Amino acid sequence: MTKSFETRAVHINHEKPLPTNSKVTPIYQSSAFSFKDLDDVEAFYQGKKDYLYSRVGNPNPDELADSVAQLEGAPSGVSASSGLAAILIGVLSMVEAGDEIIASTDIYGGTYELFQTELTSFGITVHFADFKDIDAVEALITDQTKCLYTESITNPLLYVEDLQSIVALAKKHQLKTMIDNTFATPYLINPYSTGINLVVHSATKYLGGHSDITAGVVVGDSELIQKAKTRGVNLGTTLAPMEAWLTVRGIKTLALRMEKQVTNAQALATRLTAHEGVKTVYYPKHASEKGNGAIVTIDLADPIDVGTFFKSLGWVKIVPTLAGVETTVSYPKTTSHRALPTDVQQSLGITEGLVRISVGIENIDDIEAAFVQAINAAKK
Ligand SMILES: Cc1ncc(COP(=O)(O)O)c(C=O)c1O
């Protein structure tokens, strides 16, 4: 019988047994590994020993990559020093100079900037399209197109992408596909099972869950992951052992945290929809049978003083990240999506009144009260 997600999240099977019988994997806080003689060193290069130098490989980042691959149902994975680093090495496993990517316009602003500036400087062309309009995506495909890229639940407007249509389009044109599954987490959506080639996470968010690490993981087809690993070693995107260890610890409570955060988010979305101070509530629909995620984005109704709203939230902190156990807010226009040109912001709906709420594990009545108080205080 296949074990449920909750069970698998705390019982990751590791191919390599631990060198000691400690219950939890120790932190291998070592930049390198020692060898008894030159034959022993040679054994590493012959693939008979696992570790040489921590930029090249270390048991803790490997354990994290293994954990996420298993939870996503993918054959292999690689950890990276941040979500963006994972996106970079994932993309570079699929494309090279002269190739083209088609990416969704409705993605994390940092990813947009990475694609727009850094990938371009590598000689890779990125076209942006609205993935809700799959014909518009198809119209951009050329002989050079190699990859389609989007997020399973988009940031910050929380649209749930139709992964099956994306996979069908990619198969028709023999393209690879890559999905950022950060907002959904493997608890809600498993893109690999729908035929997506690579699935990437900013582990900084829900996988870590406590806003105390910066990390990334990309999992998927073994051949691509092998290339991504090589890119990571050469570019130095390696994740530090301590960060990996903390993320593995975070994953053990992912199901518990998500269950509570998703329930709270659903309730907050419903309650704020009824509030006259809120013009629009963006909350995903039909993301998965376990719920629709733990981010709620609201557009405050005019006339409102946004500055006063943010000052009146009491214990809810303004934090330009998401997914911790605490409820936090961010302002996409001037933080996560600052890099987007104003016309792109406007066409996406990233307005002056748009607020992204990362819903935590607190009592829902306390969360609602904090937002109602801030909305009422900010009404002009
Ligand atoms: C959806 C998404 N993907 C990727 C990233 C980048 O992750 P990191 O900050 O770990 O590099 C973020 C960061 O906010 C994000 O929200």
Side-chain angles (χ1 to χ4, degrees):
M1 196 182 100
T2 318
K3 291 193 203 78
S4 66
F5 184 90
E6 292 85 338
T7 309
R8 288 187 291 121
V10 288
H11 291 278
I12 299 294
N13 290 322
H14 294 293
E15 280 169 31
K16 294 164 203 142
L18 294 175
T20 63
N21 60 349
S22 64
K23 179 166 185 277
V24 172
T25 310
I27 305 169
Y28 290 81
Q29 194 68 30
S30 177
S31 62
F33 299 82
S34 60
F35 295 85
K36 57 179 189 297
D37 55 33
L38 290 182
D39 290 341
D40 203 22
V41 178
E42 190 55 28
F44 169 82
Y45 290 99
Q46 300 299 331
K48 294 181 191 135
K49 278 188 98 98
D50 294 320
Y51 299 109
L52 172 86
Y53 183 63
S54 283
R55 177 168 51 75
V56 178
N58 175 292
N60 296 114
D62 281 359
E63 180 182 36
L64 172 61
D66 244 26
S67 307
V68 179
Q70 286 181 35
L71 291 179
E72 287 285 11
S76 50
V78 56
S79 303
S81 53
S82 68
L84 272 193
I87 293 169
L88 177 65
I89 60 173
V91 167
L92 291 180
S93 74
M94 299 187 285
V95 297
E96 54 191 33
D99 290 342
E100 297 181 9
I101 296 173
I102 304 173
S104 166
T105 331
D106 185 11
I107 51 174
Y108 167 60
T111 309
Y112 183 92
E113 197 171 2
L114 169 74
F115 286 0
Q116 189 79 311
T117 54
E118 306 306 332
L119 287 191
T120 311
S121 74
F122 282 24
I124 297 156
T125 303
V126 187
H127 298 287
F128 292 94
D130 178 357
F131 272 51
K132 291 195 276 308
D133 182 356
I134 206 78
D135 294 338
V137 176
E138 184 163 27
L140 289 172
I141 296 174
T142 70
D143 290 347
Q144 279 68 50
T145 309
K146 294 286 165 0
C147 161
L148 303 179
Y149 181 98
T150 186
E151 297 173 355
S152 50
I153 299 179
T154 64
N155 178 5
L157 295 169
L158 311 176
Y159 178 74
V160 181
E161 293 287 21
D162 177 355
L163 299 184
Q164 261 146 13
S165 302
I166 293 170
V167 169
L169 180 65
K171 289 216 166 115
K172 183 172 162 196
H173 295 274
Q174 292 166 347
L175 308 177
K176 301 285 185 203
T177 46
M178 181 164 174
I179 292 290
D180 183 330
N181 202 29
T182 300
F183 275 31
T185 84
Y187 175 77
L188 293 179
I189 299 179
N190 296 132
Y192 193 76
S193 67
T194 59
I196 295 291
N197 301 102
L198 287 182
V199 180
V200 68
H201 286 273
S202 167
T204 315
K205 311 293 175 349
Y206 291 106
L207 300 184
H210 296 77
S211 315
D212 51 10
I213 49 110
T214 298
V217 187
V218 55
V219 303
D221 295 349
S222 299
E223 195 190 322
L224 294 175
I225 292 298
Q226 197 45 50
K227 284 190 194 159
K229 272 187 191 166
T230 306
R231 296 288 201 172
V233 169
N234 293 339
L235 291 167
T237 58
T238 315
L239 180 64
M242 178 72 182
E243 310 295 279
W245 186 89
L246 281 168
T247 313
V248 168
R249 184 170 72 160
I251 287 174
K252 292 181 185 168
T253 57
L254 177 65
L256 266 183
R257 287 184 280 109
M258 284 304 283
E259 199 180 336
K260 176 75 174 168
Q261 288 175 257
V262 167
T263 308
N264 275 352
Q266 177 76 63
L268 186 69
T270 307
R271 294 183 191 190
L272 291 183
T273 303
H275 197 292
E276 56 176 16
V278 179
K279 191 163 53 189
T280 314
V281 173
Y282 296 92
Y283 187 63
K285 288 188 190 66
H286 316 299
S288 96
E289 57 192 24
K290 287 190 199 152
N292 296 303
I295 307 293
V296 178
T297 299
I298 56 173
D299 199 359
L300 297 167
D302 290 329
I304 194 134
D305 180 345
V306 178
T308 304
F309 170 84
F310 278 100
K311 273 191 213 146
S312 310
L313 282 162
W315 55 267
V316 177
K317 292 198 182 107
I318 307 168
V319 185
T321 187
L322 55 105
V325 288
E326 310 87 356
T327 297
T328 56
V329 284
S330 78
Y331 191 47
K333 189 166 173 50
T334 59
T335 57
S336 55
H337 291 70
R338 194 184 183 99
L340 268 62
T342 313
D343 58 323
V344 178
Q345 285 187 345
Q346 271 164 4
S347 67
L348 282 173
I350 300 173
T351 59
E352 295 286 334
L354 200 78
V355 178
R356 192 183 69 193
I357 308 167
S358 171
V359 183
I361 62 171
E362 304 91 342
N363 181 285
I364 182 61
D365 294 334
D366 294 337
I367 301 173
E368 181 190 12
F371 283 96
V372 168
Q373 164 190 295
I375 296 166
N376 291 342
K379 251 190 264 165
K380 278 195 197 158

